């Protein structure tokens, strides 16, 4: 398979995961079902169930009422080998805003729960924090999978098979590096092949990407890397605000920083920009992080 064909196939597989089935079963909720990416760990990638839950909620709304914020909790590890059932509660529909609650289930128990708000496109005041200058362009950086050697075969294959082309401005955090221990980083990312023009797909794909690498602003501050033996990291919650439309198959700059870590938890915050400098979204996530003693 050629590199281009492989890239197209990885994005097709993502679209297959995001293509939920609606069911005829309905009580007070709309019911959808979906599948998962295979993962080396066997656990569902959090950004996947987040994107699926968002798309399920969007399916209960008119196309022109778009998500502007979501707040979700990862309740249990998901099994990537099993299907997912998503129940959507139509909490409120107003003249300009709608609210939905989505809960993703496996084996009859929730693994993820979120509330999201949707709004018609209305005029109003506008400003945005500018994208910093001097960030290296994505074309000047190699993809992550070309910058790391010595990873376990499953991890290396996961990097090359994922739908996203991810390029760290500093060293990727899969293995130890000599980079400064600072609680921030910058990452370029985009999907490897074009997506349909449907903005609902692009919003969901942005949510999918938003869970990727944001935890590293916490790890980088302490010289911790993903392959560190005994490291345990789990996302606890995730919040996101969509500010402006964007294409996720074009380069996006993800600026990440961690203002605090304490009590086995770390908080990470992020801002996502287009290559032209438009602020697209803001993200916040708290993780559980347990670092083994390195005495």
């Amino acid at each position: 398979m050629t590199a281009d064909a492989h890239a197209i196939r990885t994005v097709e597989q993502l679209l297959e995961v995001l293509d939920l089935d609606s069911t005829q079963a309905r009580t007070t909720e709309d019911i959808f079902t979906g599948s998962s990416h295979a993962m080396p760990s066997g656990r569902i990638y959090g950004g996947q169930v987040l994107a699926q839950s968002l798309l399920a909620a969007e399916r209960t709304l008119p196309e022109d009422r778009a998500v502007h914020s979501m707040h979700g909790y990862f309740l249990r590890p998901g099994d990537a080998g099993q299907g997912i059932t998503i129940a959507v509660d139509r909490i409120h529909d107003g003249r300009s805003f709608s609210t939905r609650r989505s809960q993703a289930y496996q084996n009859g128990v929730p693994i993820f729960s979120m509330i999201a708000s949707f709004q018609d496109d209305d005029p109003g005041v506008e400003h945005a924090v500018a994208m910093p200058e001097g960030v290296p362009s994505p074309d000047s950086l190699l993809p992550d999978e070309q910058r790391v050697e010595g990873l376990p075969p499953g991890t290396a294959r996961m990097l090359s098979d994922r739908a996203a082309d991810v390029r760290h401005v500093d060293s990727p955090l899969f293995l130890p590096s000599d980079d400064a221990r600072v609680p921030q980083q910058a990452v370029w990312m985009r999907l490897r092949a074009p997506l349909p023009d449907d903005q609902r797909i692009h919003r969901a794909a942005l949510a999918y990407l938003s869970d990727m690498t944001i935890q590293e602003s916490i790890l980088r501050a302490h010289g911790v890397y993903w392959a560190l033996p005994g490291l345990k990291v789990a996302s606890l919650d995730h919040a996101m605000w969509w500010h402006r439309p964007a294409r996720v198959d074009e380069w996006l700059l993800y600026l990440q920083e961690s203002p605090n870590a304490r009590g086995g938890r770390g908080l990470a915050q992020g801002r996502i920009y287009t290559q032209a400098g438009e602020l697209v979204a803001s993200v916040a996530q708290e993780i559980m992080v347990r670092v083994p003693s390195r005495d």
Side-chain angles (χ1 to χ4, degrees):
M1 184 181 293
T2 66
D4 287 346
H6 178 71
I8 292 170
R9 182 55 188 150
T10 62
V11 174
E12 287 175 344
Q13 290 171 335
L14 171 60
L15 291 173
E16 289 168 5
V17 167
L18 297 182
D19 186 19
L20 304 175
D21 290 327
S22 59
T23 73
Q24 298 301 313
R26 191 177 191 280
T27 55
T28 59
E29 299 176 327
D30 298 88
I31 307 298
F32 301 87
T33 59
S35 59
S36 294
H37 290 301
M39 297 291 288
S41 66
R43 292 187 172 187
I44 293 174
Y45 163 56
Q48 174 205 300
V49 69
L50 197 164
Q52 289 172 318
S53 298
L54 174 63
L55 273 175
E58 294 239 32
R59 292 268 291 271
T60 70
L61 290 157
E63 291 187 21
D64 56 356
R65 186 160 288 193
V67 65
H68 67 88
S69 70
M70 66 76 54
H71 302 264
Y73 284 88
F74 298 99
L75 305 175
R76 295 175 176 85
D79 182 351
Q82 296 187 34
I84 300 172
T85 299
I86 301 171
V88 179
D89 186 1
R90 305 187 185 203
I91 294 176
H92 173 72
D93 285 302
R95 287 183 296 178
S96 299
F97 289 86
S98 292
T99 306
R100 295 290 186 267
R101 180 181 65 189
S102 293
Q103 293 207 115
Y105 292 85
Q106 284 188 320
N107 298 316
V109 295
I111 62 171
F112 178 74
S113 180
M114 80 166 202
I115 290 183
S117 182
F118 304 79
Q119 183 192 14
D120 296 338
D121 188 15
D122 292 334
V125 298
E126 184 167 338
H127 73 272
V129 175
M131 186 171 79
E133 298 180 357
V135 178
S137 72
D139 294 332
S140 70
L141 304 169
L142 288 173
D144 282 358
E145 60 267 23
Q146 296 182 26
R147 298 178 63 186
V148 291
E149 295 181 357
L151 286 173
T155 304
R157 186 169 57 253
M158 180 188 71
L159 295 182
S160 60
D161 286 351
R162 64 187 176 183
D165 183 347
V166 179
R167 304 186 182 192
H168 282 72
V169 171
D170 296 308
S171 298
L173 276 191
F174 304 108
L175 296 170
S177 77
D178 295 326
D179 290 346
R181 296 188 177 189
V182 293
Q184 67 239 4
Q185 68 173 13
V187 181
W188 288 100
M189 52 179 60
R190 68 175 177 184
L191 294 187
R192 297 182 189 271
L195 286 183
D197 290 335
D198 188 345
Q199 265 297 310
R200 292 174 299 182
I201 297 294
H202 285 269
R203 290 191 293 267
L206 189 62
Y208 180 94
L209 293 180
S210 72
D211 187 41
M212 196 174 291
T213 73
I214 189 171
Q215 307 87 356
E216 294 176 354
S217 57
I218 300 161
L219 305 185
R220 194 176 291 276
H222 301 276
V224 175
Y225 52 96
W226 289 112
L228 178 67
L231 175 68
K232 294 182 179 180
V233 175
S235 301
L236 299 174
D237 61 11
H238 194 95
M240 186 168 179
W241 297 263
W242 287 257
H243 305 311
R244 293 169 180 82
R247 294 195 64 92
V248 185
D249 47 14
E250 297 176 354
W251 285 117
L252 298 168
L253 177 63
Y254 201 174
L255 298 177
Q256 304 159 359
E257 62 180 0
S258 174
N260 186 74
R262 184 181 182 277
R265 303 184 316 278
L267 177 64
Q269 299 171 337
R271 300 196 307 274
I272 302 176
Y273 290 88
T274 66
Q275 197 168 9
E278 283 194 312
L279 181 60
V280 172
S282 299
V283 182
Q285 183 179 107
E286 191 171 47
I287 69 169
M288 179 207 76
V289 54
R290 293 174 180 162
V291 180
S293 173
R294 292 180 285 178
D295 295 337

